[in-house]
Amino acid sequence: MSSPARHQSSAGGQDIPHARTTSTFVGMPKFPAMAKEALANTQQRHNLNHATHTIRAKRAEVVDEVPDWEALRVDGAGTKDRVLADLDTYLLQLEDNLTRAGATVHWARDADEANRIVVDLVRAQQVEEVVKVKSMATQEIELNEALEAAGISAWETDLAELIVQLGHDRPSHILVPAIHRNRSEIREIFRAEMGKVGKPAPDDLTDDPARLADAARLHLREKFLRAKVAVSGTNFAIADTGTLVVLESEGNGRMCLTLPETLISVVGIEKVLPTWDDLGTFMQLLPRSSTGERMNPYTSTWTGVTPGDGPQEVHVVLLDNGRTSVLADEVGRQALRCIRCSACLNVCPVYERAGGHAYGSVYPGPIGAVLTPQLRGTGSKVDQSLPYASSLCGACFDVCPVRIEIPKLLVRLRTQVVDEHRGGAPSAEAVSMKAAAWMFADHRRLEKAQQAVTASSRLFGRRTSLENLPWPATSWSTARNAPAPPRETFRQWWLRTHGEDA
Amino acid sequence: MTRVALFATCFNDTMWPQTPQATVRLLERLGVTVDFPAAQTCCGQMFTNTGYADEAIPLVRSFIDVFGSYDAVVAPSGSCTGSVRDQYADLAARAGDPGLAADVAQMTPRVHELSEYLVDVLGVTDVGAYFPHRVTYHPTCHSLRMLRVGDRPLRLLRAVKGIDLVELPGAEECCGFGGTFAMKNADTSVAMGGDKVRHIRETEAEVVVAGDNSCLAHIGGLLDRQRSGVRSMHLAEVLASTEEEPA
Amino acid sequence: MSTAREEILRRVRAAQGAPPDSTPAELPARPDKERGAVIDEFAEITADYRAVVERCSADDISARVAAALSTYDVRTVVVPPGLDAGWMRDVAAEHVPDDELTAAALDTIDAVVTAAAAAIADTGTIVLDHGADQGRRALTLVPDVHVCVVRESQVYADVPTGVRALRPAVEAGRALTWISGPSATSDIELQRVEGVHGPRTLHVIVAGD
């Protein structure tokens, strides 16, 4: 029997640990169950449909403006692949340049270690709060929960993250975390919750998006002006200069990266780019793929400490947390090219209907369906269900700015899930697949089975379409008819019309 | 004399025989000699896409055995053709069999989806068909994004005499079939299909046409359940239709 | 037990496989654009992102800066230490020098006037490297109006040429701020709202050299 799909390339792969499932997602139901629940939420479906279609159209428009878009995709993918093939060198170069520029570099094997490092750094500043720039890496490790457990308040400052945090909710999209909420829901959250943690929402707050944004501005400004410590992630970490790069829109990022005295950035080890000049490609790929803009309103770059300007104490936490286990799979590692643009979410017909929460992780949509089971392994029910949360329509690959072959990775992960169950008690599905494989192994067996099908056609008389199917096809016939079996298969017809005796 | 092997696909062979029959009639009308190698069974797509790679590998071998000696193979299915052209190399690599990998690399480029075969190999777009109906075309995902058949099916349909071809809104969006996805994630699948069917009905077409009976089974199953009166039909059947022998 | 650094590097080396044998392929060169077209494109696209854009000759800068500030009823304006004093000649508002102002103090100031380090035409972006004529980062962040004077010679056609031109500033350890239109959010129903935390008004004066 052939070898399982994982860790084919590397002898050392077996002792590289996956990430642990963080407490929020432990015991999550499988994708189909979560999706069913989401599908019943008509308001959310409406919000998601509107939002994904809007941003999809914007993206298509600005991508069409770039004549060499395909060349940029190829260049972006190639650059990321070069980084991944030589990651140790680039990480050491990054560390060296960061240190030289006055930053302190920390290394974290997993979420717990990263959280401990950040909590200790915050405690050393003797503060009880931090302001945060939206960051997937800190969500992944559940840093806010760790800070809270240490008595430190972490204030999310991105408008959507603020909505999610105040609503005691979870993000459902990488770029627009409150995509599942509409304006009137947001107004209610602001009115009910802002006053509990700071400046209350104005009494006359309406659901006009401009008024809601203004309420966020007022609420957060007092936090920005007094904050001593900020926590960020990064979009890119430039090895040859030691520069970190954060893209944003609202200015909350600039506030966090500029005003506090101490800045702590949690950086996944796959975020490295070899040279400053590589931004020439990535600063075209990311904004256009992400928000559908030619360029996002604000990008900040900083190289360690700038004397007299901005935070004078700068820390960078380099985070593994399962990334090296993804790297060990020579095909699967292309998921580490991901620049978290979320273009794949916005075109995905499954995400559009099921929403982000169904994916049981901070990474939803097509990239989440591959990245999460790669980072965490396929040991849990939810992680086993994620690779199947796709119709393999391929729209995600077409929009991916770094050409991640998501459909191919999904199939590969499905194979891994099946392989990991081989040898034990076979599931009903495995039994029927085995039986079907046996039948297809020889055309004479197939012909026998076909005789049973055509014989059954007599049971249905002139009906062309059937309403109810027996198990295991019952889930088909809840909303779909099925074709009645034909009286003659194609090969019977062929034999009759084209056979040697015909 | 042009000669081609027909890969009927197991699904068409068993459940939708009218599609490969139409393919044969169409190709013969265009002067092509069609062979149907009787030893063929299944390309293995359902196994591969559900994660049963080990079960798919013997089917790769038998596909090569059955079709390896032909200069051209044609299949009235975008997804089965896509499986052969896009997935066989990975399966051969998994099998760890360099001979099989070499055979796959050598053979799979000669496997064509019907519209590709007509337009690229035979060089025709007007196949002499007659189909006096209001039709809308759904480009299935694997034809569109795996095989990149582009507008070939539409060029063929536009040349059909009597046809009233109307554009399908949101045409490039998946119908929600997705193989075992339709069963494993039935609720999401049906939600996707519901939107597809709504768009089809908005066109007021009598017939929805596609290049894959699997997607059509899903779309047609929803249309039938709604008693919409809209027929679903494979591209081959429309192209085979003539005034003398209407579909 | 090994340190986290050693352990991660060990895992990376075990996982990453063979080093690449190919050198990166060069992106195909884009056709050269005529200078005038580049400046026009910059002005057009910057305005498309709801910045106010105007063009003038070098002699006209001070008049345009003064007019812009009075449009926004600016009473106090913070000035970076190295800004060309001539640009502020006609400004009636009170000049506040950046004398290590706290963020709270900056929050009481209406506007800031700066130069730029570079600009990118096809994305409508101005880039600050926070040199003496632009000031430290907080100056262009906290006040609600930012008037930025870009010289035509500073405008690059596209992102890659702009990025390459900025490399020396980065190597010198400077922080950069790229600004493309005023602060904005699309977090509520994907409807774009200008003005959240950064300056709600961005006024760009493109001046001849």
Side-chain angles (χ1 to χ4, degrees):
Chain A
M1 196 56 57
S2 50
S3 66
R6 68 215 151 97
H7 299 160
Q8 277 183 338
S9 65
S10 141
Q14 297 306 326
D15 56 344
I16 300 175
H18 289 295
R20 182 177 56 82
T21 303
T22 47
S23 52
T24 305
F25 300 108
V26 168
M28 276 271 297
K30 293 195 286 189
F31 183 86
M34 294 295 284
K36 191 183 175 107
E37 207 173 288
L39 284 164
N41 184 342
T42 48
Q43 178 67 60
Q44 176 175 306
R45 268 184 80 180
H46 174 82
N47 298 351
L48 275 169
N49 179 283
H50 168 72
T52 53
H53 283 259
T54 304
I55 198 161
R56 207 182 282 183
K58 279 179 72 183
R59 177 207 160 271
E61 210 171 291
V62 295
V63 163
D64 284 348
E65 284 182 11
V66 183
D68 53 358
W69 183 255
E70 191 53 32
L72 292 176
R73 288 178 82 209
V74 170
D75 186 56
T79 302
K80 280 286 188 177
D81 284 351
R82 281 201 310 287
V83 169
L84 296 173
D86 218 358
L87 188 56
D88 58 336
T89 311
Y90 289 116
L91 286 171
L92 290 172
Q93 192 188 6
L94 175 69
E95 180 190 45
D96 193 38
N97 283 319
L98 278 168
T99 309
R100 211 189 303 249
T104 307
V105 176
H106 312 259
W107 299 70
R109 281 166 280 208
D110 55 28
D112 288 343
E113 191 163 41
N115 288 335
R116 214 158 42 234
I117 291 166
V118 177
V119 166
D120 287 349
L121 288 169
V122 176
R123 279 193 173 140
Q125 300 303 316
Q126 295 175 313
V127 295
E128 287 172 355
E129 63 174 4
V130 300
V131 284
K132 280 192 70 208
V133 196
K134 180 177 147 37
S135 131
M136 295 308 298
T138 60
Q139 273 178 35
E140 175 191 318
I141 61 175
E142 298 193 350
L143 176 63
N144 291 6
E145 288 78 354
L147 287 167
E148 200 175 312
I152 299 158
S153 303
W155 308 119
E156 291 291 351
T157 63
D158 169 78
L159 177 53
E161 293 287 358
L162 177 72
I163 295 163
V164 168
Q165 187 175 43
L166 290 174
H168 310 286
D169 196 357
R170 284 192 291 112
S172 67
H173 189 282
I174 289 174
L175 176 76
V176 205
I179 197 167
H180 57 291
R181 296 288 198 185
N182 67 11
R183 61 184 73 189
S184 62
E185 293 173 291
I186 294 166
R187 171 174 173 266
E188 288 320 304
I189 291 169
F190 279 10
R191 284 167 59 102
E193 301 291 334
M194 272 183 170
K196 295 181 188 166
V197 290
K199 195 177 174 69
D203 287 337
D204 60 349
L205 184 64
T206 67
D207 64 5
D208 173 16
R211 292 292 314 277
L212 294 167
D214 199 50
R217 177 187 175 96
L218 293 168
H219 177 79
L220 287 172
R221 187 144 291 217
E222 69 171 12
K223 291 188 160 66
F224 288 134
L225 294 182
R226 73 174 184 228
K228 297 273 188 282
V229 179
V231 176
S232 85
T234 193
N235 293 101
F236 305 107
I238 314 294
D240 79 336
T241 57
T243 306
L244 301 191
V245 182
V246 165
L247 283 72
E248 51 131 355
S249 295
E250 295 166 10
N252 64 304
R254 292 176 69 192
M255 289 280 177
C256 294
L257 301 170
T258 305
L259 299 184
E261 294 160 7
T262 299
L263 172 60
I264 305 164
S265 304
V266 180
V267 176
I269 55 172
E270 85 287 12
K271 291 286 177 191
V272 187
L273 292 182
T275 73
W276 170 260
D277 289 1
D278 291 319
L279 284 180
T281 289
F282 284 94
M283 288 301 291
Q284 295 182 83
L285 289 174
L286 181 49
R288 289 181 199 259
S289 300
S290 178
T291 53
E293 295 166 306
R294 298 182 188 103
M295 189 62 82
N296 49 297
Y298 296 133
T299 297
S300 297
T301 82
W302 71 101
T303 306
V305 174
T306 309
D309 185 357
Q312 296 299 295
E313 192 172 328
V314 171
H315 296 271
V316 177
V317 182
L318 297 174
L319 174 73
D320 179 350
N321 202 37
R323 285 160 177 73
T324 46
S325 77
V326 183
L327 185 66
D329 183 317
E330 63 179 3
V331 178
R333 72 171 58 130
Q334 59 176 298
L336 295 177
R337 292 180 195 154
C338 176
I339 54 175
R340 312 285 188 260
C341 73
S342 68
C344 63
L345 278 61
N346 300 326
V347 295
C348 178
V350 176
Y351 173 86
E352 176 191 328
R353 290 167 181 89
H357 293 154
Y359 291 81
S361 134
V362 298
Y363 301 113
I367 188 63
V370 294
L371 193 56
T372 303
Q374 285 187 278
L375 287 169
R376 301 198 298 218
T378 40
S380 73
K381 291 281 177 211
V382 58
D383 291 333
Q384 285 161 18
S385 73
L386 287 175
Y388 293 94
S390 165
S391 63
L392 303 179
C393 85
C396 47
F397 169 74
D398 281 9
V399 297
C400 178
V402 286
R403 294 177 57 90
I404 301 170
E405 297 165 289
I406 295 174
K408 183 175 175 163
L409 298 188
L410 287 165
V411 170
R412 193 173 166 82
L413 282 159
R414 292 175 184 189
T415 310
Q416 178 179 323
V417 170
V418 169
D419 284 344
E420 285 174 353
H421 286 82
R422 288 186 194 275
S427 64
E429 177 187 278
V431 169
S432 56
M433 286 288 177
K434 282 248 183 294
W438 178 85
M439 177 186 71
F440 286 128
D442 187 322
H443 67 101
R444 283 159 297 204
R445 294 177 194 160
L446 172 62
E447 284 154 15
K448 273 242 158 45
Q450 286 178 331
Q451 279 164 19
V453 173
T454 47
S456 77
S457 75
R458 284 179 206 116
L459 300 174
F460 304 110
R462 293 169 154 232
R463 280 154 68 194
T464 56
S465 175
L466 310 177
E467 296 250 343
N468 297 302
L469 297 178
W471 187 90
T474 33
S475 69
W476 176 273
S477 57
T478 50
R480 292 165 286 212
N481 286 7
R487 286 162 189 274
E488 184 181 49
T489 64
F490 171 73
R491 63 178 70 221
Q492 288 164 352
W493 174 85
W494 176 268
L495 204 63
R496 185 162 61 75
T497 58
H498 290 68
E500 276 161 38
D501 305 329
Chain B
M1 176 66 94
T2 314
R3 208 177 169 82
V4 68
L6 173 67
F7 173 44
T9 81
C10 62
F11 191 54
N12 285 328
D13 181 8
T14 310
M15 292 303 292
W16 304 84
Q18 64 272 31
T19 295
Q21 285 168 20
T23 307
V24 172
R25 278 204 308 279
L26 170 65
L27 292 174
E28 289 179 346
R29 193 172 77 214
L30 295 169
V32 178
T33 304
V34 181
D35 269 4
F36 175 76
Q40 64 180 278
T41 59
C42 166
C43 66
Q45 179 182 209
M46 175 186 72
F47 301 98
T48 312
N49 283 349
T50 313
Y52 292 82
D54 287 346
E55 284 72 9
I57 288 167
L59 298 173
V60 175
R61 292 187 199 284
S62 75
F63 189 92
I64 300 285
D65 285 346
V66 172
F67 292 106
S69 61
Y70 289 91
D71 291 336
V73 180
V74 65
S77 163
S79 67
C80 298
T81 308
S83 181
V84 171
R85 288 228 303 260
D86 242 54
Q87 297 182 319
Y88 273 21
D90 287 344
L91 290 166
R94 178 183 165 101
D97 179 345
L100 183 63
D103 288 345
V104 162
Q106 201 267 330
M107 131 119 261
T108 55
R110 301 200 303 270
V111 182
H112 309 277
E113 181 272 340
L114 179 61
S115 73
E116 294 176 324
Y117 182 75
L118 294 170
V119 175
D120 298 347
V121 181
L122 299 184
V124 290
T125 45
D126 185 349
V127 296
Y130 173 72
F131 193 72
H133 298 284
R134 188 176 174 88
V135 167
T136 196
Y137 172 73
H138 167 62
T140 59
C141 298
H142 288 179
S143 292
L144 197 65
R145 285 179 282 263
M146 210 176 209
L147 296 176
R148 310 274 169 195
V149 302
D151 67 349
R152 289 176 185 84
L154 283 170
R155 281 153 66 195
L156 290 159
L157 285 171
R158 281 188 207 114
V160 171
K161 230 171 93 190
I163 200 168
D164 175 16
L165 187 63
V166 288
E167 196 180 324
L168 177 64
E172 298 193 353
E173 286 175 35
C174 179
C175 70
F177 172 66
T180 46
F181 175 79
M183 315 273 271
K184 283 176 179 281
N185 280 282
D187 296 299
T188 309
S189 167
V190 166
M192 289 161 68
D195 289 337
K196 179 60 69 181
V197 162
R198 183 168 48 78
H199 285 140
I200 291 168
R201 297 185 73 170
E202 276 166 17
T203 67
E204 297 181 355
E206 301 159 69
V207 183
V208 55
V209 170
D212 254 303
N213 276 326
S214 47
C215 305
L216 284 173
H218 169 72
I219 294 170
L222 289 160
L223 285 166
D224 281 357
R225 180 63 58 91
Q226 295 179 6
R227 304 188 196 288
S228 67
V230 183
R231 278 195 293 164
S232 52
M233 195 180 279
H234 194 282
L235 176 69
E237 292 162 48
V238 175
L239 298 181
S241 172
T242 58
E243 283 187 67
E244 297 73 37
E245 275 189 273
Chain C
M1 191 174 136
S2 64
T3 66
R5 180 178 184 273
E6 289 162 359
E7 173 62 16
I8 292 170
L9 288 169
R10 183 198 69 77
R11 291 177 189 171
V12 167
R13 287 171 184 141
Q16 69 192 359
D21 52 0
S22 61
T23 45
E26 288 282 309
L27 273 167
R30 287 175 173 170
D32 271 338
K33 280 186 198 157
E34 190 260 317
R35 278 307 293 168
V38 171
I39 311 295
D40 288 348
E41 186 180 23
F42 171 67
E44 189 187 315
I45 292 183
T46 306
D48 195 30
Y49 280 158
R50 319 280 171 87
V52 179
V53 181
E54 57 177 318
R55 296 175 65 170
C56 70
S57 68
D59 299 337
D60 223 14
I61 295 175
S62 60
R64 297 297 184 105
V65 170
L69 291 174
S70 65
T71 311
Y72 306 118
D73 290 330
V74 166
R75 282 159 305 172
T76 50
V77 54
V78 63
V79 183
L83 192 78
D84 187 333
W87 293 2
M88 299 299 290
R89 205 171 45 215
D90 300 333
V91 171
E94 182 195 344
H95 303 197
V96 184
D98 178 27
D99 191 14
E100 294 185 20
L101 297 165
T102 62
L106 278 172
D107 199 26
T108 66
I109 294 173
D110 296 331
V112 60
V113 177
T114 71
I120 297 168
D122 74 356
T123 58
T125 303
I126 55 176
V127 183
L128 309 180
D129 69 3
H130 304 285
D133 56 1
Q134 299 148 61
R136 63 197 170 97
R137 283 174 279 172
L139 256 54
T140 41
L141 175 61
V142 183
D144 208 16
V145 175
H146 179 192
V147 176
C148 184
V149 179
V150 177
R151 308 307 288 256
E152 288 183 359
S153 61
Q154 293 181 307
V155 180
Y156 295 90
D158 58 17
V159 175
T161 48
V163 164
R164 284 196 292 274
L166 288 160
R167 188 175 174 99
V170 174
E171 283 179 337
R174 293 190 175 285
L176 302 185
T177 305
W178 302 32
I179 301 171
S180 310
S183 156
T185 185
S186 300
D187 279 346
I188 302 166
E189 297 181 18
L190 268 297
Q191 183 175 321
R192 189 175 165 101
V193 174
E194 264 84 29
V196 194
H197 305 294
R200 285 182 281 194
T201 301
L202 174 66
H203 191 112
V204 180
I205 298 172
V206 188
D209 294 286

